[in-house]
Amino acid sequence: MNSEGIEFLFVEESFVLRTSLYNAELRKSNPQKPDFTFEDNKRWIPALFKRELYYGTDQYFVSLEVVDVRTIGFFLFAIGSTIYYVLFTVWGLIQLYHANRLKLIWVLGLVVLNVVGYVLFLLKSKRDISKIPR
């Protein structure tokens, strides 16, 4: 395959940032210089989201630098979980305030246990309401 055909394969692939192709027989004479190199300079991606992969056969050795979508997914999950945790805690504190139960034990329970702490508050509140004589 010629270099235009190989480059066409990598231009269409959006997750490949850099590729180096080495011929195993030629690599013995000049190990530092690849036979083919493709580099996508159109976009900048932080090093945190990059990953290097290596593949080799008897005839060829391929070095790929790709976008690591697992790291991006974990990063987005951590950000989303943090936003959820903070917003639910603020909402729970507002609910505690409106129920006139803004006590240290309920605040700690809500902050430490989040949803479980709020459910415990609701169960305790329902039990206290059922004890009120009518």
Side-chain angles (χ1 to χ4, degrees), residues 63-106:
S63 168
L64 296 168
E65 185 177 89
V66 296
V67 177
D68 191 5
V69 293
R70 292 179 300 176
T71 305
I72 294 172
F74 179 75
F75 186 71
L76 291 176
F77 176 76
I79 290 173
S81 297
T82 303
I83 291 171
Y84 155 77
Y85 195 86
V86 168
L87 289 177
F88 187 86
T89 302
V90 169
W91 177 82
L93 290 172
I94 292 170
Q95 296 300 317
L96 288 173
Y97 176 78
H98 286 300
N100 292 326
R101 300 282 182 119
L102 196 58
K103 308 254 188 295
L104 181 62
I105 188 73
W106 291 120

Side-chain angles (χ1 to χ4, degrees), residues 14 26 33 35 41 46 49 57 75 90 98 101 111:
S14 59
L26 297 176
K33 186 174 183 299
D35 297 327
N41 293 325
F49 300 131
T57 64
F75 186 71
V90 169
H98 286 300
R101 300 282 182 119
V111 170

